[in-house]
Amino acid sequence: MTNTTTIPTYRGRTYEDIAGAIDHSLLRPELTLAEVEAGCAIAARYRTVSVCCRPVDVTFAHGLLTGTDVAIGTVVSFPHGNSTTAVKVAETAEAVANGATEIDVVLSIGLLRSGEFQRVQDDIAAVVAAADGHLVKVILENAYLSDAEKVSACHLVESAGADYVKTSTGFAPSGATLDDLRLMRASVGPQMKVKAAGGVRTLDAMIDVLDVGCSRNGTIATAVILDDFVARAR
């Protein structure tokens, strides 16, 4: 007699599918070190793919999560994207030296909207080079862009050699929408990945973004999403 084990699923997704697509967000400016520590503990307990923490917390988070499978991500030129390229490069290099393996950098929004496409691409490419082979996700901040600008941004990010296009910082007037995610997915090649961020805080919303082609979702609602999965999966 053969023993078979059924892996619980909800809407066709396993726990690993969901947890493995969550970047647990620790970016609010008022977080204390105790709250950062508690957030890292949540990421480890729920087995998220990463935490995305403030640059000042990278070394601390790296120490807390050593020995787990949780990657350390951080942000560069956050949340406005207005740093010079040299500053973005320095931020990236320092983050990597401190233990970050994923970089979420904000695109130069004003330059993009001004049509300075080569400057935008060169800026991203410099961050990619400074990341030295580590993942680079480029935040477009879609709340401020037209659909045509979103498409242009996707093309520039891909040409610059980054790994992901990402919807938003979570600090703009709006976050991820399914329409934007579909547009971004259609505007990059299959080797590029898409990350949602901002407002995706329930299990069903999480699966919705995965279903339109996202590979990651940045959220503070990790426990809510994954506890709900455990309750509903069969």
Side-chain angles (χ1 to χ4, degrees):
M1 183 175 180
T2 302
N3 289 325
T4 59
T5 301
T6 301
I7 298 173
T9 63
Y10 176 71
R11 288 179 54 184
R13 302 283 180 171
T14 66
Y15 184 96
E16 286 70 25
D17 292 335
I18 307 300
I22 291 178
D23 292 344
H24 185 59
S25 180
L26 298 172
L27 295 172
R28 295 201 315 272
E30 77 278 13
L31 291 178
T32 64
L33 289 176
E35 289 168 325
V36 172
E37 184 172 5
C40 288
I42 287 171
R45 182 184 321 130
Y46 286 89
R47 307 193 306 277
T48 66
V49 66
S50 80
V51 294
C52 190
C53 63
R54 302 169 302 194
V56 71
D57 299 321
V58 169
T59 300
F60 182 52
H62 182 263
L64 293 170
L65 291 167
T66 296
T68 75
D69 292 327
V70 181
I72 308 297
T74 194
V75 288
V76 164
S77 196
F78 191 87
H80 296 131
N82 291 324
S83 303
T84 64
T85 299
V87 171
K88 289 181 179 179
V89 165
E91 281 190 76
T92 301
E94 182 179 37
V96 170
N98 289 342
T101 58
E102 302 190 0
I103 302 295
D104 290 32
V105 59
V106 185
L107 174 143
S108 295
I109 303 162
L111 290 182
L112 176 76
R113 297 186 66 242
S114 300
E116 295 287 335
F117 293 156
Q118 191 61 54
R119 290 177 67 186
V120 172
Q121 181 175 318
D122 290 348
D123 185 65
I124 298 164
V127 171
V128 171
D132 195 26
H134 297 299
L135 282 181
V136 175
K137 308 171 207 153
V138 180
I139 303 168
L140 309 188
E141 202 65 293
N142 288 340
Y144 302 127
L145 305 180
S146 68
D147 282 355
E149 288 165 343
K150 295 166 196 173
V151 171
S152 294
C154 286
H155 293 166
L156 295 170
V157 170
E158 185 166 22
S159 295
D163 302 284
Y164 279 78
V165 285
K166 176 179 171 182
T167 59
S168 32
T169 61
F171 289 85
S174 62
T177 69
L178 293 178
D179 284 344
D180 276 353
L181 293 167
R182 292 186 189 98
L183 179 66
M184 293 163 70
R185 179 67 272 167
S187 299
V188 294
Q191 77 284 359
M192 286 286 291
K193 296 181 179 179
V194 178
K195 177 178 173 179
V200 181
R201 295 176 183 168
T202 68
L203 175 61
D204 283 299
M206 174 84 190
I207 294 175
D208 286 344
V209 302
L210 295 179
D211 284 350
V212 298
C214 280
S215 297
R216 298 279 187 96
N217 174 44
T219 186
I220 62 173
T222 296
V224 170
I225 291 168
L226 291 171
D227 285 346
D228 196 24
F229 178 90
V230 170
R232 298 169 76 177
R234 296 291 182 269

mmCIF file of all heavy atoms in Angstrom, residues 14-60:
data_model
loop_
_atom_site.group_PDB
_atom_site.id
_atom_site.type_symbol
_atom_site.label_atom_id
_atom_site.label_comp_id
_atom_site.label_asym_id
_atom_site.label_seq_id
_atom_site.Cartn_x
_atom_site.Cartn_y
_atom_site.Cartn_z
ATOM 1 N N THR A 14 0.113 26.621 -2.869
ATOM 2 C CA THR A 14 0.568 26.033 -1.616
ATOM 3 C C THR A 14 1.068 27.133 -0.679
ATOM 4 O O THR A 14 1.271 28.283 -1.082
ATOM 5 C CB THR A 14 1.714 25.047 -1.853
ATOM 6 O OG1 THR A 14 2.874 25.785 -2.331
ATOM 7 C CG2 THR A 14 1.325 23.979 -2.873
ATOM 8 N N TYR A 15 1.292 26.741 0.568
ATOM 9 C CA TYR A 15 1.870 27.684 1.530
ATOM 10 C C TYR A 15 3.194 28.236 0.995
ATOM 11 O O TYR A 15 3.473 29.436 1.082
ATOM 12 C CB TYR A 15 2.095 26.986 2.870
ATOM 13 C CG TYR A 15 2.608 27.901 3.962
ATOM 14 C CD1 TYR A 15 1.737 28.489 4.870
ATOM 15 C CD2 TYR A 15 3.976 28.190 4.084
ATOM 16 C CE1 TYR A 15 2.208 29.346 5.864
ATOM 17 C CE2 TYR A 15 4.453 29.042 5.066
ATOM 18 C CZ TYR A 15 3.561 29.616 5.958
ATOM 19 O OH TYR A 15 4.041 30.464 6.927
ATOM 20 N N GLU A 16 4.019 27.345 0.448
ATOM 21 C CA GLU A 16 5.333 27.761 -0.050
ATOM 22 C C GLU A 16 5.193 28.745 -1.210
ATOM 23 O O GLU A 16 6.023 29.651 -1.358
ATOM 24 C CB GLU A 16 6.147 26.539 -0.471
ATOM 25 C CG GLU A 16 6.688 25.702 0.684
ATOM 26 C CD GLU A 16 5.597 24.945 1.453
ATOM 27 O OE1 GLU A 16 4.516 24.661 0.868
ATOM 28 O OE2 GLU A 16 5.823 24.650 2.646
ATOM 29 N N ASP A 17 4.166 28.550 -2.040
ATOM 30 C CA ASP A 17 3.938 29.508 -3.126
ATOM 31 C C ASP A 17 3.696 30.909 -2.577
ATOM 32 O O ASP A 17 4.193 31.899 -3.142
ATOM 33 C CB ASP A 17 2.708 29.102 -3.953
ATOM 34 C CG ASP A 17 2.894 27.842 -4.757
ATOM 35 O OD1 ASP A 17 4.040 27.499 -5.086
ATOM 36 O OD2 ASP A 17 1.874 27.189 -5.063
ATOM 37 N N ILE A 18 2.933 30.994 -1.496
ATOM 38 C CA ILE A 18 2.580 32.301 -0.938
ATOM 39 C C ILE A 18 3.753 32.883 -0.145
ATOM 40 O O ILE A 18 4.195 34.010 -0.418
ATOM 41 C CB ILE A 18 1.329 32.194 -0.039
ATOM 42 C CG1 ILE A 18 0.165 31.518 -0.781
ATOM 43 C CG2 ILE A 18 0.932 33.575 0.476
ATOM 44 C CD1 ILE A 18 -0.293 32.231 -2.013
ATOM 45 N N ALA A 19 4.256 32.134 0.813
ATOM 46 C CA ALA A 19 5.354 32.644 1.641
ATOM 47 C C ALA A 19 6.591 32.952 0.797
ATOM 48 O O ALA A 19 7.321 33.917 1.063
ATOM 49 C CB ALA A 19 5.698 31.629 2.731
ATOM 50 N N GLY A 20 6.819 32.141 -0.223
ATOM 51 C CA GLY A 20 7.977 32.323 -1.086
ATOM 52 C C GLY A 20 7.864 33.489 -2.040
ATOM 53 O O GLY A 20 8.786 33.733 -2.833
ATOM 54 N N ALA A 21 6.753 34.211 -1.988
ATOM 55 C CA ALA A 21 6.575 35.401 -2.807
ATOM 56 C C ALA A 21 6.415 36.664 -1.957
ATOM 57 O O ALA A 21 6.135 37.734 -2.497
ATOM 58 C CB ALA A 21 5.359 35.243 -3.719
ATOM 59 N N ILE A 22 6.605 36.549 -0.646
ATOM 60 C CA ILE A 22 6.421 37.707 0.242
ATOM 61 C C ILE A 22 7.762 38.307 0.653
ATOM 62 O O ILE A 22 8.637 37.627 1.198
ATOM 63 C CB ILE A 22 5.622 37.317 1.502
ATOM 64 C CG1 ILE A 22 4.169 37.003 1.142
ATOM 65 C CG2 ILE A 22 5.674 38.445 2.539
ATOM 66 C CD1 ILE A 22 3.328 36.552 2.325
ATOM 67 N N ASP A 23 7.917 39.599 0.374
ATOM 68 C CA ASP A 23 8.975 40.415 0.976
ATOM 69 C C ASP A 23 8.331 41.110 2.175
ATOM 70 O O ASP A 23 7.509 42.021 1.998
ATOM 71 C CB ASP A 23 9.495 41.470 -0.005
ATOM 72 C CG ASP A 23 10.259 40.886 -1.180
ATOM 73 O OD1 ASP A 23 10.660 39.716 -1.119
ATOM 74 O OD2 ASP A 23 10.447 41.624 -2.175
ATOM 75 N N HIS A 24 8.666 40.663 3.373
ATOM 76 C CA HIS A 24 8.047 41.256 4.562
ATOM 77 C C HIS A 24 8.612 42.658 4.768
ATOM 78 O O HIS A 24 9.822 42.842 4.947
ATOM 79 C CB HIS A 24 8.314 40.381 5.789
ATOM 80 C CG HIS A 24 7.618 40.869 7.020
ATOM 81 N ND1 HIS A 24 6.250 41.006 7.103
ATOM 82 C CD2 HIS A 24 8.118 41.277 8.230
ATOM 83 C CE1 HIS A 24 5.926 41.466 8.300
ATOM 84 N NE2 HIS A 24 7.041 41.642 8.999
ATOM 85 N N SER A 25 7.737 43.643 4.742
ATOM 86 C CA SER A 25 8.163 45.041 4.714
ATOM 87 C C SER A 25 8.376 45.602 6.118
ATOM 88 O O SER A 25 7.487 45.532 6.975
ATOM 89 C CB SER A 25 7.109 45.878 3.982
ATOM 90 O OG SER A 25 7.495 47.231 3.944
ATOM 91 N N LEU A 26 9.556 46.189 6.317
ATOM 92 C CA LEU A 26 9.914 46.847 7.585
ATOM 93 C C LEU A 26 10.470 48.231 7.270
ATOM 94 O O LEU A 26 11.604 48.566 7.626
ATOM 95 C CB LEU A 26 10.963 46.004 8.335
ATOM 96 C CG LEU A 26 10.509 44.602 8.750
ATOM 97 C CD1 LEU A 26 11.686 43.793 9.292
ATOM 98 C CD2 LEU A 26 9.405 44.684 9.795
ATOM 99 N N LEU A 27 9.659 49.040 6.610
ATOM 100 C CA LEU A 27 10.139 50.305 6.064
ATOM 101 C C LEU A 27 9.533 51.548 6.705
ATOM 102 O O LEU A 27 9.974 52.660 6.418
ATOM 103 C CB LEU A 27 9.871 50.350 4.553
ATOM 104 C CG LEU A 27 10.637 49.312 3.729
ATOM 105 C CD1 LEU A 27 10.155 49.327 2.282
ATOM 106 C CD2 LEU A 27 12.133 49.557 3.802
ATOM 107 N N ARG A 28 8.547 51.377 7.577
ATOM 108 C CA ARG A 28 7.930 52.568 8.175
ATOM 109 C C ARG A 28 8.978 53.351 8.970
ATOM 110 O O ARG A 28 9.765 52.768 9.734
ATOM 111 C CB ARG A 28 6.756 52.175 9.073
ATOM 112 C CG ARG A 28 5.603 51.532 8.315
ATOM 113 C CD ARG A 28 4.281 51.616 9.102
ATOM 114 N NE ARG A 28 4.438 51.276 10.502
ATOM 115 C CZ ARG A 28 4.355 50.038 11.002
ATOM 116 N NH1 ARG A 28 4.159 49.005 10.189
ATOM 117 N NH2 ARG A 28 4.488 49.831 12.291
ATOM 118 N N PRO A 29 9.005 54.668 8.828
ATOM 119 C CA PRO A 29 10.089 55.451 9.423
ATOM 120 C C PRO A 29 10.114 55.435 10.938
ATOM 121 O O PRO A 29 11.164 55.654 11.552
ATOM 122 C CB PRO A 29 9.847 56.868 8.893
ATOM 123 C CG PRO A 29 8.406 56.892 8.506
ATOM 124 C CD PRO A 29 8.090 55.518 8.044
ATOM 125 N N GLU A 30 8.960 55.153 11.569
ATOM 126 C CA GLU A 30 8.894 55.233 13.032
ATOM 127 C C GLU A 30 9.238 53.925 13.733
ATOM 128 O O GLU A 30 9.238 53.869 14.979
ATOM 129 C CB GLU A 30 7.484 55.695 13.449
ATOM 130 C CG GLU A 30 6.389 54.611 13.372
ATOM 131 C CD GLU A 30 5.802 54.401 11.992
ATOM 132 O OE1 GLU A 30 6.382 54.908 11.004
ATOM 133 O OE2 GLU A 30 4.766 53.713 11.896
ATOM 134 N N LEU A 31 9.541 52.870 12.998
ATOM 135 C CA LEU A 31 9.803 51.580 13.633
ATOM 136 C C LEU A 31 10.982 51.666 14.601
ATOM 137 O O LEU A 31 12.051 52.193 14.280
ATOM 138 C CB LEU A 31 10.113 50.513 12.576
ATOM 139 C CG LEU A 31 8.979 50.055 11.665
ATOM 140 C CD1 LEU A 31 9.500 49.031 10.666
ATOM 141 C CD2 LEU A 31 7.823 49.470 12.473
ATOM 142 N N THR A 32 10.789 51.098 15.785
ATOM 143 C CA THR A 32 11.884 50.978 16.740
ATOM 144 C C THR A 32 12.693 49.725 16.416
ATOM 145 O O THR A 32 12.255 48.852 15.651
ATOM 146 C CB THR A 32 11.344 50.849 18.168
ATOM 147 O OG1 THR A 32 10.604 49.619 18.265
ATOM 148 C CG2 THR A 32 10.450 52.027 18.528
ATOM 149 N N LEU A 33 13.859 49.611 17.034
ATOM 150 C CA LEU A 33 14.662 48.402 16.848
ATOM 151 C C LEU A 33 13.921 47.173 17.354
ATOM 152 O O LEU A 33 14.022 46.087 16.764
ATOM 153 C CB LEU A 33 16.012 48.538 17.539
ATOM 154 C CG LEU A 33 16.996 49.511 16.877
ATOM 155 C CD1 LEU A 33 18.258 49.636 17.720
ATOM 156 C CD2 LEU A 33 17.331 49.072 15.456
ATOM 157 N N ALA A 34 13.159 47.336 18.421
ATOM 158 C CA ALA A 34 12.376 46.204 18.929
ATOM 159 C C ALA A 34 11.336 45.772 17.907
ATOM 160 O O ALA A 34 11.073 44.569 17.730
ATOM 161 C CB ALA A 34 11.706 46.579 20.250
ATOM 162 N N GLU A 35 10.739 46.729 17.205
ATOM 163 C CA GLU A 35 9.746 46.396 16.179
ATOM 164 C C GLU A 35 10.405 45.763 14.954
ATOM 165 O O GLU A 35 9.829 44.856 14.329
ATOM 166 C CB GLU A 35 8.957 47.647 15.807
ATOM 167 C CG GLU A 35 8.011 48.094 16.912
ATOM 168 C CD GLU A 35 7.427 49.469 16.689
ATOM 169 O OE1 GLU A 35 8.123 50.357 16.131
ATOM 170 O OE2 GLU A 35 6.264 49.680 17.075
ATOM 171 N N VAL A 36 11.598 46.221 14.616
ATOM 172 C CA VAL A 36 12.346 45.576 13.528
ATOM 173 C C VAL A 36 12.681 44.137 13.901
ATOM 174 O O VAL A 36 12.527 43.209 13.091
ATOM 175 C CB VAL A 36 13.626 46.365 13.193
ATOM 176 C CG1 VAL A 36 14.502 45.595 12.197
ATOM 177 C CG2 VAL A 36 13.276 47.746 12.635
ATOM 178 N N GLU A 37 13.107 43.937 15.140
ATOM 179 C CA GLU A 37 13.417 42.579 15.604
ATOM 180 C C GLU A 37 12.174 41.691 15.549
ATOM 181 O O GLU A 37 12.243 40.536 15.095
ATOM 182 C CB GLU A 37 13.967 42.620 17.028
ATOM 183 C CG GLU A 37 14.396 41.260 17.552
ATOM 184 C CD GLU A 37 15.108 41.340 18.880
ATOM 185 O OE1 GLU A 37 15.190 42.443 19.459
ATOM 186 O OE2 GLU A 37 15.604 40.294 19.354
ATOM 187 N N ALA A 38 11.039 42.218 15.968
ATOM 188 C CA ALA A 38 9.799 41.450 15.912
ATOM 189 C C ALA A 38 9.413 41.142 14.470
ATOM 190 O O ALA A 38 8.925 40.037 14.157
ATOM 191 C CB ALA A 38 8.680 42.223 16.599
ATOM 192 N N GLY A 39 9.644 42.078 13.560
ATOM 193 C CA GLY A 39 9.351 41.845 12.151
ATOM 194 C C GLY A 39 10.238 40.782 11.542
ATOM 195 O O GLY A 39 9.770 39.945 10.740
ATOM 196 N N CYS A 40 11.502 40.779 11.919
ATOM 197 C CA CYS A 40 12.399 39.721 11.435
ATOM 198 C C CYS A 40 11.968 38.359 11.976
ATOM 199 O O CYS A 40 12.045 37.344 11.265
ATOM 200 C CB CYS A 40 13.838 40.032 11.847
ATOM 201 S SG CYS A 40 14.588 41.398 10.921
ATOM 202 N N ALA A 41 11.489 38.339 13.205
ATOM 203 C CA ALA A 41 10.999 37.081 13.782
ATOM 204 C C ALA A 41 9.771 36.579 13.027
ATOM 205 O O ALA A 41 9.617 35.367 12.801
ATOM 206 C CB ALA A 41 10.673 37.276 15.263
ATOM 207 N N ILE A 42 8.898 37.490 12.611
ATOM 208 C CA ILE A 42 7.741 37.095 11.801
ATOM 209 C C ILE A 42 8.203 36.491 10.477
ATOM 210 O O ILE A 42 7.713 35.438 10.050
ATOM 211 C CB ILE A 42 6.825 38.310 11.554
ATOM 212 C CG1 ILE A 42 6.064 38.665 12.833
ATOM 213 C CG2 ILE A 42 5.842 38.038 10.407
ATOM 214 C CD1 ILE A 42 5.296 39.969 12.755
ATOM 215 N N ALA A 43 9.160 37.142 9.827
ATOM 216 C CA ALA A 43 9.657 36.634 8.550
ATOM 217 C C ALA A 43 10.247 35.241 8.697
ATOM 218 O O ALA A 43 10.010 34.355 7.868
ATOM 219 C CB ALA A 43 10.693 37.595 7.976
ATOM 220 N N ALA A 44 11.008 35.024 9.763
ATOM 221 C CA ALA A 44 11.601 33.707 9.990
ATOM 222 C C ALA A 44 10.538 32.670 10.327
ATOM 223 O O ALA A 44 10.576 31.534 9.822
ATOM 224 C CB ALA A 44 12.637 33.801 11.102
ATOM 225 N N ARG A 45 9.574 33.039 11.177
ATOM 226 C CA ARG A 45 8.543 32.093 11.599
ATOM 227 C C ARG A 45 7.657 31.678 10.435
ATOM 228 O O ARG A 45 7.314 30.502 10.292
ATOM 229 C CB ARG A 45 7.682 32.730 12.693
ATOM 230 C CG ARG A 45 6.592 31.791 13.243
ATOM 231 C CD ARG A 45 5.705 32.510 14.269
ATOM 232 N NE ARG A 45 6.487 33.387 15.118
ATOM 233 C CZ ARG A 45 6.196 34.670 15.363
ATOM 234 N NH1 ARG A 45 5.124 35.226 14.829
ATOM 235 N NH2 ARG A 45 6.959 35.400 16.139
ATOM 236 N N TYR A 46 7.315 32.637 9.574
ATOM 237 C CA TYR A 46 6.408 32.343 8.465
ATOM 238 C C TYR A 46 7.149 31.937 7.182
ATOM 239 O O TYR A 46 6.526 31.636 6.187
ATOM 240 C CB TYR A 46 5.507 33.543 8.199
ATOM 241 C CG TYR A 46 4.430 33.721 9.245
ATOM 242 C CD1 TYR A 46 4.657 34.482 10.383
ATOM 243 C CD2 TYR A 46 3.182 33.112 9.113
ATOM 244 C CE1 TYR A 46 3.672 34.646 11.351
ATOM 245 C CE2 TYR A 46 2.191 33.271 10.061
ATOM 246 C CZ TYR A 46 2.445 34.034 11.186
ATOM 247 O OH TYR A 46 1.466 34.196 12.152
ATOM 248 N N ARG A 47 8.474 31.976 7.217
ATOM 249 C CA ARG A 47 9.327 31.526 6.110
ATOM 250 C C ARG A 47 9.107 32.349 4.839
ATOM 251 O O ARG A 47 8.965 31.812 3.731
ATOM 252 C CB ARG A 47 9.144 30.031 5.828
ATOM 253 C CG ARG A 47 9.330 29.150 7.046
ATOM 254 C CD ARG A 47 9.454 27.675 6.713
ATOM 255 N NE ARG A 47 8.369 27.134 5.906
ATOM 256 C CZ ARG A 47 7.193 26.718 6.385
ATOM 257 N NH1 ARG A 47 6.939 26.826 7.701
ATOM 258 N NH2 ARG A 47 6.268 26.211 5.579
ATOM 259 N N THR A 48 9.073 33.663 4.994
ATOM 260 C CA THR A 48 8.984 34.527 3.817
ATOM 261 C C THR A 48 10.303 34.485 3.056
ATOM 262 O O THR A 48 11.349 34.115 3.599
ATOM 263 C CB THR A 48 8.665 35.978 4.209
ATOM 264 O OG1 THR A 48 9.754 36.533 4.956
ATOM 265 C CG2 THR A 48 7.390 36.056 5.025
ATOM 266 N N VAL A 49 10.238 34.885 1.805
ATOM 267 C CA VAL A 49 11.458 34.843 1.005
ATOM 268 C C VAL A 49 12.459 35.900 1.475
ATOM 269 O O VAL A 49 13.673 35.700 1.395
ATOM 270 C CB VAL A 49 11.137 35.000 -0.499
ATOM 271 C CG1 VAL A 49 10.583 36.362 -0.829
ATOM 272 C CG2 VAL A 49 12.360 34.689 -1.340
ATOM 273 N N SER A 50 11.960 37.030 1.993
ATOM 274 C CA SER A 50 12.880 38.085 2.427
ATOM 275 C C SER A 50 12.205 39.020 3.410
ATOM 276 O O SER A 50 10.981 38.999 3.584
ATOM 277 C CB SER A 50 13.382 38.907 1.227
ATOM 278 O OG SER A 50 12.417 39.859 0.832
ATOM 279 N N VAL A 51 13.029 39.851 4.039
ATOM 280 C CA VAL A 51 12.554 41.085 4.645
ATOM 281 C C VAL A 51 13.079 42.225 3.786
ATOM 282 O O VAL A 51 14.137 42.120 3.164
ATOM 283 C CB VAL A 51 13.035 41.282 6.100
ATOM 284 C CG1 VAL A 51 12.454 40.240 7.027
ATOM 285 C CG2 VAL A 51 14.547 41.317 6.191
ATOM 286 N N CYS A 52 12.321 43.318 3.733
ATOM 287 C CA CYS A 52 12.805 44.534 3.088
ATOM 288 C C CYS A 52 12.831 45.608 4.161
ATOM 289 O O CYS A 52 11.786 46.099 4.591
ATOM 290 C CB CYS A 52 11.897 44.932 1.927
ATOM 291 S SG CYS A 52 12.594 46.267 0.919
ATOM 292 N N CYS A 53 14.032 45.917 4.631
ATOM 293 C CA CYS A 53 14.189 46.807 5.785
ATOM 294 C C CYS A 53 14.849 48.125 5.375
ATOM 295 O O CYS A 53 15.372 48.268 4.270
ATOM 296 C CB CYS A 53 14.994 46.112 6.876
ATOM 297 S SG CYS A 53 16.691 45.685 6.431
ATOM 298 N N ARG A 54 14.834 49.066 6.300
ATOM 299 C CA ARG A 54 15.489 50.348 6.064
ATOM 300 C C ARG A 54 17.005 50.145 6.000
ATOM 301 O O ARG A 54 17.548 49.243 6.662
ATOM 302 C CB ARG A 54 15.134 51.313 7.194
ATOM 303 C CG ARG A 54 13.642 51.543 7.366
ATOM 304 C CD ARG A 54 13.303 52.290 8.644
ATOM 305 N NE ARG A 54 13.776 51.620 9.849
ATOM 306 C CZ ARG A 54 13.395 51.921 11.079
ATOM 307 N NH1 ARG A 54 12.500 52.892 11.271
ATOM 308 N NH2 ARG A 54 13.883 51.283 12.115
ATOM 309 N N PRO A 55 17.720 50.986 5.255
ATOM 310 C CA PRO A 55 19.173 50.822 5.164
ATOM 311 C C PRO A 55 19.873 50.800 6.527
ATOM 312 O O PRO A 55 20.818 50.041 6.730
ATOM 313 C CB PRO A 55 19.603 52.030 4.325
ATOM 314 C CG PRO A 55 18.422 52.322 3.462
ATOM 315 C CD PRO A 55 17.227 52.031 4.324
ATOM 316 N N VAL A 56 19.384 51.602 7.456
ATOM 317 C CA VAL A 56 20.017 51.672 8.773
ATOM 318 C C VAL A 56 19.887 50.363 9.539
ATOM 319 O O VAL A 56 20.658 50.107 10.481
ATOM 320 C CB VAL A 56 19.419 52.852 9.584
ATOM 321 C CG1 VAL A 56 17.986 52.557 10.023
ATOM 322 C CG2 VAL A 56 20.302 53.214 10.772
ATOM 323 N N ASP A 57 18.950 49.506 9.133
ATOM 324 C CA ASP A 57 18.696 48.255 9.848
ATOM 325 C C ASP A 57 19.317 47.027 9.191
ATOM 326 O O ASP A 57 19.137 45.910 9.685
ATOM 327 C CB ASP A 57 17.181 48.020 9.956
ATOM 328 C CG ASP A 57 16.471 49.126 10.718
ATOM 329 O OD1 ASP A 57 17.031 49.609 11.717
ATOM 330 O OD2 ASP A 57 15.354 49.507 10.304
ATOM 331 N N VAL A 58 20.020 47.194 8.083
ATOM 332 C CA VAL A 58 20.506 46.028 7.339
ATOM 333 C C VAL A 58 21.429 45.160 8.181
ATOM 334 O O VAL A 58 21.264 43.932 8.266
ATOM 335 C CB VAL A 58 21.194 46.462 6.030
ATOM 336 C CG1 VAL A 58 21.937 45.275 5.401
ATOM 337 C CG2 VAL A 58 20.172 47.012 5.044
ATOM 338 N N THR A 59 22.410 45.753 8.822
ATOM 339 C CA THR A 59 23.346 44.965 9.630
ATOM 340 C C THR A 59 22.625 44.261 10.767
ATOM 341 O O THR A 59 22.864 43.077 11.053
ATOM 342 C CB THR A 59 24.456 45.869 10.191
ATOM 343 O OG1 THR A 59 25.153 46.476 9.093
ATOM 344 C CG2 THR A 59 25.438 45.073 11.032
ATOM 345 N N PHE A 60 21.700 44.958 11.418
ATOM 346 C CA PHE A 60 20.922 44.396 12.523
ATOM 347 C C PHE A 60 20.082 43.220 12.036
ATOM 348 O O PHE A 60 20.089 42.136 12.635
ATOM 349 C CB PHE A 60 20.031 45.506 13.088
ATOM 350 C CG PHE A 60 19.189 45.111 14.273
ATOM 351 C CD1 PHE A 60 19.746 44.514 15.395
ATOM 352 C CD2 PHE A 60 17.823 45.368 14.265
ATOM 353 C CE1 PHE A 60 18.957 44.176 16.495
ATOM 354 C CE2 PHE A 60 17.034 45.037 15.352
ATOM 355 C CZ PHE A 60 17.603 44.436 16.467
#
